[in-house]
Amino acid sequence: MAKQAKKPVKITETILRDAHQSLIATRMTTEQMLPIIDKMDKVGYHSVECWGGATFDASLRFLKEDPWERLRKLRDGFKNTKLQMLFRGQNILGYNHYADDVVEYFVQKSIANGIDIIRIFDCLNDIRNLQTAVKAANKEKGHAQVALSYTLGDAYTLDYWTDIAKKIQDMGANSLCIKDMAGLLTPYKAEELVKALKESVSIPIDLHTHYTSGVASMTYLKAVEAGCDIIDTAMSPFALGTSQPATEVMAEVFKETPYDPKFDQALLAEIAEYFRPIREHALETGLLNPKVLGVNIKTLMYQVPGGMLSNLVSQLKEMGQEDKYYEVLEEVPRVRKDFGEPPLVTPSSQIVGTQAVLNVVTGERYKMVTKESKKLLSGEFGQTVKPFNKEVQKKCIGNTKPITCRPADLIKPQLKEIEKEMARYKQQDEDVLTYALFPQVATEFFEYREAQQKKVDKSIADKENKAYPV
């Protein structure tokens, strides 16, 4: 047998973003991250995903930290490693669509503050909602990676994936990510999908999955053998469960094969050792719920992401209707079908899940309809792969005329207005963007920041490290 040419798999480390978002509700602080950066920088990662997703909101809301400051500190520490963020297309890091000028400015500022790779996705895979962000990343000389939200259903054939991948390459994406947020991609399906994509496009392919259904490590193995270029993993203390497969394990799996990333296991062990007490503390304080560490094969039965499962449980608990759990799980695929079979990822997962709960609890389907369900059925989030159920649409939005254009085409430029509105709080250009995404949370944070600054005695300030004793 001919010797196979070397093709080391590239690895994106997620411990500073998706791993702690998935396991401990995005509560890792910047101070917890900084001491280990020097060692992480020596590993040889393709990139470190450390920003975007829910980190922005959580930093402001729960940690009273400036997310932009975090990014700058991480950038200072990582001298050799590319930094990566997750970006929700026209939703940026929020839950609504924003005007193009806000999207462009956010991309510009993210790259200026240290991001190299922007992973851009849309919850409906409506590529019209990705264009502005991709163009902006290209303009700023950043790497635009477009992520396809992977899901199952009649509409999602191999032809669907290869067709959309070609469009994404034509749009100017530098790489393509299969974003399997619910852990639905099984090993042999991954092999088939990666092979088909490799034949259709020439840009690198990254696979991102979650361990929720228990198959993720095997899925990575088959995907890499099929030609996948990059995989996303997390250091073992924050791996598995609803997070990613473990970095050390995957590095060992490919050892002495053509895919060997040649990572130093002793160095990885030191990094894991650093994060272990953070995990232990999260377990002791209840921040890390052991439930999210198990395997849940129901994910494959109901195609419901892990985070969505826990949301459904807490919604039913609040209503005192926990006995309706399985009815709700069976209702989710029905609502999804009525709503044009969208992938279940933020915010579509929350919309479909909440509607399914209401349908079951009220005892009549679509008797009560959420504001978000109406928005989705009115085309305000974009176009779904399949048409909406016409009767359901009529029942929910009445005679409202659905929009068919790209939703952001209806949004006038917003930046100037926003800047005017928050002028009194502005200390850096980035504050305008923070306010644009989360006006209420940002205002609270800015007021907190001002109060902290008033406590500072400038005469004993540490000018060297820009740190002030509080």
Side-chain angles (χ1 to χ4, degrees):
M1 210 169 104
K3 206 171 171 210
Q4 205 176 333
K6 281 186 182 168
K7 194 204 166 197
V9 63
K10 292 174 177 175
I11 290 183
T12 290
E13 174 60 62
T14 68
I15 194 159
L16 301 186
R17 204 286 298 177
D18 201 6
H20 74 105
Q21 180 174 318
S22 298
L23 296 183
I24 59 166
T26 331
R27 294 298 202 280
M28 203 184 289
T29 65
T30 305
E31 291 315 306
Q32 288 175 314
M33 297 173 183
L34 295 178
I36 197 63
I37 286 178
D38 193 41
K39 283 188 176 146
M40 287 179 72
D41 199 29
K42 294 185 173 80
V43 172
Y45 290 121
H46 166 67
S47 64
V48 169
E49 191 202 40
C50 61
W51 211 61
T55 61
F56 198 93
D57 184 6
S59 294
L60 295 163
R61 196 185 295 265
F62 304 114
L63 308 175
K64 292 287 175 263
E65 285 186 11
D66 180 0
W68 298 99
E69 194 53 35
R70 171 181 294 186
L71 176 53
R72 290 190 284 265
K73 285 178 175 172
L74 293 172
R75 182 69 284 166
D76 284 348
F78 281 108
K79 309 274 190 260
N80 312 301
T81 311
K82 288 189 167 113
L83 299 186
Q84 184 168 321
M85 76 173 288
L86 181 69
F87 193 99
R88 299 185 188 124
Q90 211 69 29
N91 292 0
I92 309 180
L93 303 176
Y95 305 101
N96 299 304
H97 279 222
Y98 298 93
D100 288 338
D101 63 343
V102 181
V103 175
E104 285 158 1
Y105 195 42
F106 203 100
V107 168
Q108 185 194 330
K109 284 294 176 192
S110 301
I111 292 171
N113 280 279
I115 289 293
D116 300 289
I117 301 169
I118 301 189
R119 176 178 290 169
I120 306 158
F121 79 98
D122 176 66
C123 74
L124 303 182
N125 288 333
D126 183 342
I127 62 175
R128 299 172 306 171
N129 296 334
L130 305 168
Q131 281 162 335
T132 303
V134 171
K135 260 189 202 149
N138 288 338
K139 188 183 166 197
E140 298 300 322
K141 306 277 186 286
H143 177 113
Q145 180 181 89
V146 169
L148 293 173
S149 301
Y150 180 78
T151 191
L152 305 171
D154 306 340
Y156 300 97
T157 59
L158 272 186
D159 283 346
Y160 166 82
W161 296 117
T162 54
D163 183 46
I164 198 168
K166 284 176 195 157
K167 287 176 183 158
I168 281 162
Q169 179 168 279
D170 293 344
M171 191 197 282
N174 303 103
S175 61
L176 177 73
C177 172
I178 304 159
K179 180 178 164 59
D180 178 23
M181 56 280 165
L184 299 176
L185 190 55
T186 52
Y188 289 99
K189 285 285 176 215
E191 179 180 40
E192 185 183 50
L193 178 59
V194 170
K195 277 184 173 159
L197 289 172
K198 277 291 192 191
E199 283 166 16
S200 308
V201 295
S202 56
I203 52 178
I205 292 170
D206 186 331
L207 176 56
H208 172 93
T209 188
H210 289 251
Y211 214 87
T212 324
S213 58
V215 299
S217 296
M218 295 177 277
T219 296
Y220 276 167
L221 177 61
K222 296 308 285 180
V224 169
E225 288 176 350
C228 179
D229 303 278
I230 310 155
I231 54 173
D232 291 15
T233 64
M235 289 302 301
S236 57
F238 283 90
L240 310 185
T242 49
S243 175
Q244 279 74 50
T247 305
E248 307 96 304
V249 174
M250 293 317 300
E252 194 62 22
V253 163
F254 294 117
K255 197 176 170 184
E256 292 171 8
T257 73
Y259 314 108
D260 192 346
K262 294 245 183 317
F263 281 5
D264 176 351
Q265 285 288 358
L267 177 61
L268 292 178
E270 285 178 48
I271 296 167
E273 208 49 54
Y274 174 81
F275 284 108
R276 206 158 282 124
I278 301 175
R279 172 201 166 97
E280 294 311 318
H281 181 69
L283 269 170
E284 283 159 19
T285 55
L287 193 54
L288 175 52
N289 182 337
K291 272 186 187 158
V292 300
L293 298 172
V295 161
N296 193 340
I297 202 67
K298 287 194 200 90
T299 305
L300 295 176
M301 285 164 59
Y302 300 109
Q303 300 169 32
V304 175
M308 189 175 162
L309 281 173
S310 50
N311 270 352
L312 295 179
V313 172
S314 64
Q315 280 180 346
L316 289 169
K317 204 173 186 175
E318 273 169 37
M319 298 173 171
Q321 304 261 0
E322 286 169 276
D323 58 325
K324 303 269 197 320
Y325 179 61
Y326 286 101
E327 275 179 71
V328 170
L329 276 185
E330 279 160 23
E331 178 63 4
V332 166
R334 289 196 285 265
V335 173
R336 183 177 170 236
K337 211 171 172 68
D338 289 340
F339 285 10
E341 231 174 75
L344 295 177
V345 64
T346 304
S348 54
S349 52
Q350 288 88 333
I351 298 170
V352 169
T354 305
Q355 193 56 58
V357 168
L358 290 176
N359 286 2
V360 169
V361 170
T362 58
E364 185 192 321
R365 304 188 75 224
Y366 306 108
K367 182 182 180 181
M368 274 177 76
V369 183
T370 66
K371 188 167 87 240
E372 284 71 27
S373 290
K374 288 178 184 173
K375 271 185 167 183
L376 182 72
L377 291 166
S378 306
E380 284 185 44
F381 286 102
Q383 197 177 358
T384 49
V385 173
K386 284 201 151 177
F388 300 129
N389 176 328
K390 283 277 180 274
E391 283 165 39
V392 168
Q393 189 182 27
K394 181 90 174 129
K395 187 171 181 179
C396 296
I397 68 167
N399 294 323
T400 306
K401 194 174 186 307
I403 66 166
T404 53
C405 66
R406 182 183 75 114
D409 287 343
L410 303 175
I411 308 172
K412 292 187 174 79
Q414 295 170 315
L415 265 181
K416 282 204 171 87
E417 266 318 291
I418 291 164
E419 186 143 18
K420 225 184 283 175
E421 214 174 284
M422 57 76 63
R424 78 176 246 1
Y425 296 114
K426 186 181 168 184
Q427 295 185 9
Q428 57 177 353
D429 290 344
E430 290 79 3
D431 289 343
V432 179
L433 290 162
T434 303
Y435 183 87
L437 265 53
F438 303 105
Q440 209 180 333
V441 177
T443 303
E444 282 166 26
F445 170 74
F446 295 149
E447 284 168 359
Y448 166 83
R449 181 174 68 182
E450 277 175 19
Q452 294 304 101
Q453 286 162 345
K454 278 182 189 142
K455 287 186 196 173
V456 167
D457 178 353
K458 296 284 194 290
S459 64
I460 55 163
D462 173 359
K463 299 271 193 314
E464 188 67 23
N465 298 311
K466 297 191 179 62
Y468 302 104
V470 173

